[in-house]
Amino acid sequence: MSHRSFTAILLIILSLLFAFGIVSPARADVADISRPGTADYVLGPGDVVRITVYQNPDLTTEARISEGGQITFPLLGGVPVGSQTAGTAERLIERLLRDGGFVLQPQVSILPVQMRGNQVSVIGLVGRPGRYPLETSNLRLSDMLASAGGIAPNGADTVVLIGLRDGKSIRREIDIPALFLKGTENDIPLAGGDILYVHRAPTFYIYGEVQRPGAFRLERNMSVMQALATGGGINQRGTVRGLQIQRRDTEGRLSVIEPALEDLLRADDVIFVRESLF
């Protein structure tokens, strides 16, 4: 047998194998190679997905995931895909098609078209507040903050996380500087429906005989002396004698104290610098 004849016979055999689904080419041509990480995306209610089955164009389906986490797929009816990654859902549909005898060797590709079910709301003082999709199953808090443009200059150093875990409501305050400086154990994975809130940074106020009276950001462990320096220091008419701080307690009651320069400030403290009598 000539080499040309052998090659022709081999091509015929491969064509028959492809036709019956026994052998198929690599899935690169049906995979979503333009969007890396799609297979890790966790599907949720409200998402719209496009499902294709290799060499079965009649099974191509675009469906919205219901509140119960199901889609309707030809031949199979309702298929529970909610809370699963796209890759896991692909394997589930492949198994159902194969076990039902509908397709001998199915190869399924799921492409999220609209990702609405698994979104995180980022609100408060960030660069770009809004709702952001969880494009991968292990997206962490720091990743989401980066997507939202980071914390704004007048935003606090802590982020409040509100969400559900195992059916229970959670609320956590996460110290962002400590997260990066002391360890990443609090850089927790996010889940659909989570809310991240960044409050305004705490402030203090200076008025009286200082160079720049006004409101200023209260840094951590800021002393009275540091606060005076932030306001440009005392002017020629001022004195550090008889400094006063007006402070309100948790019930709103106002008190006036005379602090030492090394005392620590609290949020919303008002420092009053007197005029020197000499």
Side-chain angles (χ1 to χ4, degrees), residues 137-167:
S137 59
N138 61 344
L139 194 72
R140 296 183 177 273
L141 183 142
S142 60
D143 299 321
M144 186 58 67
L145 280 180
S147 298
I151 296 176
N154 55 341
D157 290 337
T158 57
V159 174
V160 178
L161 167 65
I162 300 173
L164 291 174
R165 296 296 185 277
D166 300 323

PDB file of all heavy atoms in Angstrom, residues 137-167:
ATOM      1  N   SER A 137     -13.951  32.644  41.353  1.00  0.00           N
ATOM      2  CA  SER A 137     -14.545  32.114  42.582  1.00  0.00           C
ATOM      3  C   SER A 137     -13.758  32.498  43.822  1.00  0.00           C
ATOM      4  O   SER A 137     -14.248  32.331  44.933  1.00  0.00           O
ATOM      5  CB  SER A 137     -14.637  30.585  42.492  1.00  0.00           C
ATOM      6  OG  SER A 137     -13.354  30.021  42.291  1.00  0.00           O
ATOM      7  N   ASN A 138     -12.537  32.975  43.679  1.00  0.00           N
ATOM      8  CA  ASN A 138     -11.714  33.297  44.841  1.00  0.00           C
ATOM      9  C   ASN A 138     -11.307  34.759  44.873  1.00  0.00           C
ATOM     10  O   ASN A 138     -10.230  35.101  45.355  1.00  0.00           O
ATOM     11  CB  ASN A 138     -10.469  32.403  44.869  1.00  0.00           C
ATOM     12  CG  ASN A 138      -9.603  32.594  43.639  1.00  0.00           C
ATOM     13  OD1 ASN A 138     -10.065  33.156  42.646  1.00  0.00           O
ATOM     14  ND2 ASN A 138      -8.368  32.135  43.694  1.00  0.00           N
ATOM     15  N   LEU A 139     -12.156  35.633  44.340  1.00  0.00           N
ATOM     16  CA  LEU A 139     -11.850  37.061  44.348  1.00  0.00           C
ATOM     17  C   LEU A 139     -11.860  37.572  45.783  1.00  0.00           C
ATOM     18  O   LEU A 139     -12.804  37.329  46.533  1.00  0.00           O
ATOM     19  CB  LEU A 139     -12.881  37.831  43.517  1.00  0.00           C
ATOM     20  CG  LEU A 139     -12.499  39.268  43.175  1.00  0.00           C
ATOM     21  CD1 LEU A 139     -11.392  39.277  42.122  1.00  0.00           C
ATOM     22  CD2 LEU A 139     -13.699  40.035  42.654  1.00  0.00           C
ATOM     23  N   ARG A 140     -10.806  38.284  46.163  1.00  0.00           N
ATOM     24  CA  ARG A 140     -10.651  38.717  47.544  1.00  0.00           C
ATOM     25  C   ARG A 140     -10.954  40.201  47.715  1.00  0.00           C
ATOM     26  O   ARG A 140     -11.068  40.945  46.747  1.00  0.00           O
ATOM     27  CB  ARG A 140      -9.245  38.385  48.051  1.00  0.00           C
ATOM     28  CG  ARG A 140      -8.991  36.881  48.090  1.00  0.00           C
ATOM     29  CD  ARG A 140      -7.643  36.522  48.665  1.00  0.00           C
ATOM     30  NE  ARG A 140      -7.506  35.071  48.730  1.00  0.00           N
ATOM     31  CZ  ARG A 140      -7.916  34.322  49.738  1.00  0.00           C
ATOM     32  NH1 ARG A 140      -8.486  34.887  50.796  1.00  0.00           N
ATOM     33  NH2 ARG A 140      -7.767  33.011  49.716  1.00  0.00           N
ATOM     34  N   LEU A 141     -11.056  40.601  48.972  1.00  0.00           N
ATOM     35  CA  LEU A 141     -11.445  41.961  49.297  1.00  0.00           C
ATOM     36  C   LEU A 141     -10.476  42.967  48.682  1.00  0.00           C
ATOM     37  O   LEU A 141     -10.901  43.990  48.143  1.00  0.00           O
ATOM     38  CB  LEU A 141     -11.504  42.120  50.815  1.00  0.00           C
ATOM     39  CG  LEU A 141     -11.961  43.476  51.350  1.00  0.00           C
ATOM     40  CD1 LEU A 141     -12.821  43.280  52.590  1.00  0.00           C
ATOM     41  CD2 LEU A 141     -10.772  44.352  51.715  1.00  0.00           C
ATOM     42  N   SER A 142      -9.175  42.714  48.754  1.00  0.00           N
ATOM     43  CA  SER A 142      -8.202  43.653  48.195  1.00  0.00           C
ATOM     44  C   SER A 142      -8.372  43.784  46.682  1.00  0.00           C
ATOM     45  O   SER A 142      -8.202  44.876  46.127  1.00  0.00           O
ATOM     46  CB  SER A 142      -6.781  43.205  48.534  1.00  0.00           C
ATOM     47  OG  SER A 142      -6.514  41.918  47.997  1.00  0.00           O
ATOM     48  N   ASP A 143      -8.709  42.679  46.011  1.00  0.00           N
ATOM     49  CA  ASP A 143      -8.935  42.742  44.560  1.00  0.00           C
ATOM     50  C   ASP A 143     -10.131  43.635  44.240  1.00  0.00           C
ATOM     51  O   ASP A 143     -10.101  44.430  43.290  1.00  0.00           O
ATOM     52  CB  ASP A 143      -9.181  41.339  44.000  1.00  0.00           C
ATOM     53  CG  ASP A 143      -8.006  40.403  44.222  1.00  0.00           C
ATOM     54  OD1 ASP A 143      -6.861  40.878  44.094  1.00  0.00           O
ATOM     55  OD2 ASP A 143      -8.231  39.221  44.516  1.00  0.00           O
ATOM     56  N   MET A 144     -11.202  43.501  45.032  1.00  0.00           N
ATOM     57  CA  MET A 144     -12.403  44.289  44.766  1.00  0.00           C
ATOM     58  C   MET A 144     -12.165  45.773  45.040  1.00  0.00           C
ATOM     59  O   MET A 144     -12.640  46.637  44.300  1.00  0.00           O
ATOM     60  CB  MET A 144     -13.559  43.771  45.620  1.00  0.00           C
ATOM     61  CG  MET A 144     -14.893  44.431  45.328  1.00  0.00           C
ATOM     62  SD  MET A 144     -15.406  44.251  43.598  1.00  0.00           S
ATOM     63  CE  MET A 144     -15.703  42.473  43.516  1.00  0.00           C
ATOM     64  N   LEU A 145     -11.404  46.081  46.102  1.00  0.00           N
ATOM     65  CA  LEU A 145     -11.088  47.472  46.371  1.00  0.00           C
ATOM     66  C   LEU A 145     -10.282  48.078  45.229  1.00  0.00           C
ATOM     67  O   LEU A 145     -10.495  49.233  44.843  1.00  0.00           O
ATOM     68  CB  LEU A 145     -10.301  47.600  47.687  1.00  0.00           C
ATOM     69  CG  LEU A 145     -11.102  47.546  48.990  1.00  0.00           C
ATOM     70  CD1 LEU A 145     -10.171  47.691  50.174  1.00  0.00           C
ATOM     71  CD2 LEU A 145     -12.171  48.626  49.034  1.00  0.00           C
ATOM     72  N   ALA A 146      -9.353  47.304  44.687  1.00  0.00           N
ATOM     73  CA  ALA A 146      -8.571  47.788  43.554  1.00  0.00           C
ATOM     74  C   ALA A 146      -9.466  48.043  42.346  1.00  0.00           C
ATOM     75  O   ALA A 146      -9.302  49.041  41.637  1.00  0.00           O
ATOM     76  CB  ALA A 146      -7.474  46.788  43.206  1.00  0.00           C
ATOM     77  N   SER A 147     -10.443  47.145  42.112  1.00  0.00           N
ATOM     78  CA  SER A 147     -11.367  47.340  40.991  1.00  0.00           C
ATOM     79  C   SER A 147     -12.197  48.606  41.166  1.00  0.00           C
ATOM     80  O   SER A 147     -12.560  49.256  40.180  1.00  0.00           O
ATOM     81  CB  SER A 147     -12.300  46.128  40.862  1.00  0.00           C
ATOM     82  OG  SER A 147     -11.579  44.952  40.577  1.00  0.00           O
ATOM     83  N   ALA A 148     -12.494  48.950  42.421  1.00  0.00           N
ATOM     84  CA  ALA A 148     -13.310  50.135  42.707  1.00  0.00           C
ATOM     85  C   ALA A 148     -12.468  51.398  42.822  1.00  0.00           C
ATOM     86  O   ALA A 148     -12.974  52.438  43.254  1.00  0.00           O
ATOM     87  CB  ALA A 148     -14.114  49.922  43.982  1.00  0.00           C
ATOM     88  N   GLY A 149     -11.197  51.342  42.454  1.00  0.00           N
ATOM     89  CA  GLY A 149     -10.369  52.537  42.472  1.00  0.00           C
ATOM     90  C   GLY A 149      -9.709  52.845  43.791  1.00  0.00           C
ATOM     91  O   GLY A 149      -9.119  53.920  43.962  1.00  0.00           O
ATOM     92  N   GLY A 150      -9.783  51.906  44.745  1.00  0.00           N
ATOM     93  CA  GLY A 150      -9.152  52.124  46.037  1.00  0.00           C
ATOM     94  C   GLY A 150      -9.947  53.061  46.926  1.00  0.00           C
ATOM     95  O   GLY A 150     -10.968  53.633  46.528  1.00  0.00           O
ATOM     96  N   ILE A 151      -9.459  53.232  48.150  1.00  0.00           N
ATOM     97  CA  ILE A 151     -10.124  54.119  49.112  1.00  0.00           C
ATOM     98  C   ILE A 151      -9.791  55.566  48.774  1.00  0.00           C
ATOM     99  O   ILE A 151      -8.653  55.914  48.472  1.00  0.00           O
ATOM    100  CB  ILE A 151      -9.674  53.781  50.543  1.00  0.00           C
ATOM    101  CG1 ILE A 151     -10.122  52.353  50.900  1.00  0.00           C
ATOM    102  CG2 ILE A 151     -10.238  54.771  51.548  1.00  0.00           C
ATOM    103  CD1 ILE A 151      -9.639  51.882  52.253  1.00  0.00           C
ATOM    104  N   ALA A 152     -10.791  56.422  48.818  1.00  0.00           N
ATOM    105  CA  ALA A 152     -10.611  57.842  48.520  1.00  0.00           C
ATOM    106  C   ALA A 152      -9.759  58.502  49.598  1.00  0.00           C
ATOM    107  O   ALA A 152      -9.649  57.989  50.723  1.00  0.00           O
ATOM    108  CB  ALA A 152     -11.978  58.521  48.426  1.00  0.00           C
ATOM    109  N   PRO A 153      -9.136  59.649  49.279  1.00  0.00           N
ATOM    110  CA  PRO A 153      -8.267  60.317  50.263  1.00  0.00           C
ATOM    111  C   PRO A 153      -8.947  60.629  51.585  1.00  0.00           C
ATOM    112  O   PRO A 153      -8.301  60.614  52.635  1.00  0.00           O
ATOM    113  CB  PRO A 153      -7.855  61.614  49.530  1.00  0.00           C
ATOM    114  CG  PRO A 153      -7.942  61.273  48.087  1.00  0.00           C
ATOM    115  CD  PRO A 153      -9.108  60.335  47.968  1.00  0.00           C
ATOM    116  N   ASN A 154     -10.240  60.911  51.565  1.00  0.00           N
ATOM    117  CA  ASN A 154     -10.950  61.217  52.806  1.00  0.00           C
ATOM    118  C   ASN A 154     -11.703  60.007  53.356  1.00  0.00           C
ATOM    119  O   ASN A 154     -12.561  60.138  54.222  1.00  0.00           O
ATOM    120  CB  ASN A 154     -11.918  62.375  52.603  1.00  0.00           C
ATOM    121  CG  ASN A 154     -12.892  62.129  51.468  1.00  0.00           C
ATOM    122  OD1 ASN A 154     -12.658  61.278  50.609  1.00  0.00           O
ATOM    123  ND2 ASN A 154     -13.980  62.873  51.446  1.00  0.00           N
ATOM    124  N   GLY A 155     -11.352  58.826  52.869  1.00  0.00           N
ATOM    125  CA  GLY A 155     -11.982  57.606  53.363  1.00  0.00           C
ATOM    126  C   GLY A 155     -11.247  57.022  54.549  1.00  0.00           C
ATOM    127  O   GLY A 155     -10.061  57.280  54.775  1.00  0.00           O
ATOM    128  N   ALA A 156     -11.955  56.220  55.327  1.00  0.00           N
ATOM    129  CA  ALA A 156     -11.379  55.605  56.522  1.00  0.00           C
ATOM    130  C   ALA A 156     -10.415  54.485  56.157  1.00  0.00           C
ATOM    131  O   ALA A 156     -10.388  53.998  55.020  1.00  0.00           O
ATOM    132  CB  ALA A 156     -12.500  55.065  57.410  1.00  0.00           C
ATOM    133  N   ASP A 157      -9.634  54.067  57.152  1.00  0.00           N
ATOM    134  CA  ASP A 157      -8.675  52.980  56.953  1.00  0.00           C
ATOM    135  C   ASP A 157      -9.312  51.602  57.118  1.00  0.00           C
ATOM    136  O   ASP A 157      -8.639  50.596  56.938  1.00  0.00           O
ATOM    137  CB  ASP A 157      -7.522  53.100  57.960  1.00  0.00           C
ATOM    138  CG  ASP A 157      -6.631  54.285  57.650  1.00  0.00           C
ATOM    139  OD1 ASP A 157      -6.617  54.726  56.491  1.00  0.00           O
ATOM    140  OD2 ASP A 157      -5.957  54.774  58.574  1.00  0.00           O
ATOM    141  N   THR A 158     -10.579  51.574  57.480  1.00  0.00           N
ATOM    142  CA  THR A 158     -11.271  50.306  57.676  1.00  0.00           C
ATOM    143  C   THR A 158     -12.393  50.149  56.664  1.00  0.00           C
ATOM    144  O   THR A 158     -12.977  51.140  56.220  1.00  0.00           O
ATOM    145  CB  THR A 158     -11.847  50.200  59.102  1.00  0.00           C
ATOM    146  OG1 THR A 158     -12.732  51.304  59.333  1.00  0.00           O
ATOM    147  CG2 THR A 158     -10.737  50.213  60.144  1.00  0.00           C
ATOM    148  N   VAL A 159     -12.667  48.901  56.329  1.00  0.00           N
ATOM    149  CA  VAL A 159     -13.763  48.575  55.413  1.00  0.00           C
ATOM    150  C   VAL A 159     -14.743  47.686  56.153  1.00  0.00           C
ATOM    151  O   VAL A 159     -14.348  46.708  56.806  1.00  0.00           O
ATOM    152  CB  VAL A 159     -13.240  47.857  54.156  1.00  0.00           C
ATOM    153  CG1 VAL A 159     -14.405  47.404  53.279  1.00  0.00           C
ATOM    154  CG2 VAL A 159     -12.324  48.773  53.360  1.00  0.00           C
ATOM    155  N   VAL A 160     -16.013  48.016  56.058  1.00  0.00           N
ATOM    156  CA  VAL A 160     -17.064  47.204  56.677  1.00  0.00           C
ATOM    157  C   VAL A 160     -17.598  46.231  55.618  1.00  0.00           C
ATOM    158  O   VAL A 160     -18.000  46.654  54.527  1.00  0.00           O
ATOM    159  CB  VAL A 160     -18.202  48.077  57.220  1.00  0.00           C
ATOM    160  CG1 VAL A 160     -19.310  47.205  57.816  1.00  0.00           C
ATOM    161  CG2 VAL A 160     -17.663  49.047  58.268  1.00  0.00           C
ATOM    162  N   LEU A 161     -17.574  44.949  55.938  1.00  0.00           N
ATOM    163  CA  LEU A 161     -18.095  43.907  55.057  1.00  0.00           C
ATOM    164  C   LEU A 161     -19.391  43.369  55.644  1.00  0.00           C
ATOM    165  O   LEU A 161     -19.430  42.939  56.802  1.00  0.00           O
ATOM    166  CB  LEU A 161     -17.090  42.769  54.906  1.00  0.00           C
ATOM    167  CG  LEU A 161     -17.609  41.475  54.265  1.00  0.00           C
ATOM    168  CD1 LEU A 161     -18.004  41.709  52.814  1.00  0.00           C
ATOM    169  CD2 LEU A 161     -16.582  40.369  54.372  1.00  0.00           C
ATOM    170  N   ILE A 162     -20.451  43.389  54.855  1.00  0.00           N
ATOM    171  CA  ILE A 162     -21.745  42.826  55.244  1.00  0.00           C
ATOM    172  C   ILE A 162     -22.139  41.796  54.200  1.00  0.00           C
ATOM    173  O   ILE A 162     -22.059  42.055  52.992  1.00  0.00           O
ATOM    174  CB  ILE A 162     -22.827  43.917  55.345  1.00  0.00           C
ATOM    175  CG1 ILE A 162     -22.442  44.964  56.386  1.00  0.00           C
ATOM    176  CG2 ILE A 162     -24.190  43.313  55.687  1.00  0.00           C
ATOM    177  CD1 ILE A 162     -23.376  46.151  56.435  1.00  0.00           C
ATOM    178  N   GLY A 163     -22.540  40.607  54.640  1.00  0.00           N
ATOM    179  CA  GLY A 163     -22.917  39.569  53.688  1.00  0.00           C
ATOM    180  C   GLY A 163     -23.508  38.360  54.385  1.00  0.00           C
ATOM    181  O   GLY A 163     -23.891  38.413  55.564  1.00  0.00           O
ATOM    182  N   LEU A 164     -23.587  37.279  53.642  1.00  0.00           N
ATOM    183  CA  LEU A 164     -24.099  36.011  54.150  1.00  0.00           C
ATOM    184  C   LEU A 164     -23.041  34.932  53.967  1.00  0.00           C
ATOM    185  O   LEU A 164     -22.404  34.850  52.918  1.00  0.00           O
ATOM    186  CB  LEU A 164     -25.377  35.599  53.410  1.00  0.00           C
ATOM    187  CG  LEU A 164     -26.644  36.418  53.649  1.00  0.00           C
ATOM    188  CD1 LEU A 164     -27.752  35.953  52.709  1.00  0.00           C
ATOM    189  CD2 LEU A 164     -27.104  36.277  55.102  1.00  0.00           C
ATOM    190  N   ARG A 165     -22.875  34.097  54.987  1.00  0.00           N
ATOM    191  CA  ARG A 165     -22.012  32.933  54.910  1.00  0.00           C
ATOM    192  C   ARG A 165     -22.745  31.765  55.575  1.00  0.00           C
ATOM    193  O   ARG A 165     -23.124  31.860  56.742  1.00  0.00           O
ATOM    194  CB  ARG A 165     -20.662  33.173  55.612  1.00  0.00           C
ATOM    195  CG  ARG A 165     -19.783  34.249  54.993  1.00  0.00           C
ATOM    196  CD  ARG A 165     -19.337  33.897  53.585  1.00  0.00           C
ATOM    197  NE  ARG A 165     -18.392  34.888  53.070  1.00  0.00           N
ATOM    198  CZ  ARG A 165     -18.736  36.035  52.512  1.00  0.00           C
ATOM    199  NH1 ARG A 165     -20.035  36.344  52.409  1.00  0.00           N
ATOM    200  NH2 ARG A 165     -17.820  36.870  52.063  1.00  0.00           N
ATOM    201  N   ASP A 166     -22.934  30.698  54.828  1.00  0.00           N
ATOM    202  CA  ASP A 166     -23.647  29.522  55.336  1.00  0.00           C
ATOM    203  C   ASP A 166     -25.036  29.887  55.854  1.00  0.00           C
ATOM    204  O   ASP A 166     -25.495  29.365  56.883  1.00  0.00           O
ATOM    205  CB  ASP A 166     -22.840  28.836  56.448  1.00  0.00           C
ATOM    206  CG  ASP A 166     -21.479  28.363  55.967  1.00  0.00           C
ATOM    207  OD1 ASP A 166     -21.390  27.901  54.808  1.00  0.00           O
ATOM    208  OD2 ASP A 166     -20.504  28.468  56.736  1.00  0.00           O
ATOM    209  N   GLY A 167     -25.684  30.820  55.172  1.00  0.00           N
ATOM    210  CA  GLY A 167     -27.037  31.207  55.542  1.00  0.00           C
ATOM    211  C   GLY A 167     -27.125  32.153  56.717  1.00  0.00           C
ATOM    212  O   GLY A 167     -28.233  32.502  57.142  1.00  0.00           O
TER     213      GLY A 167
END
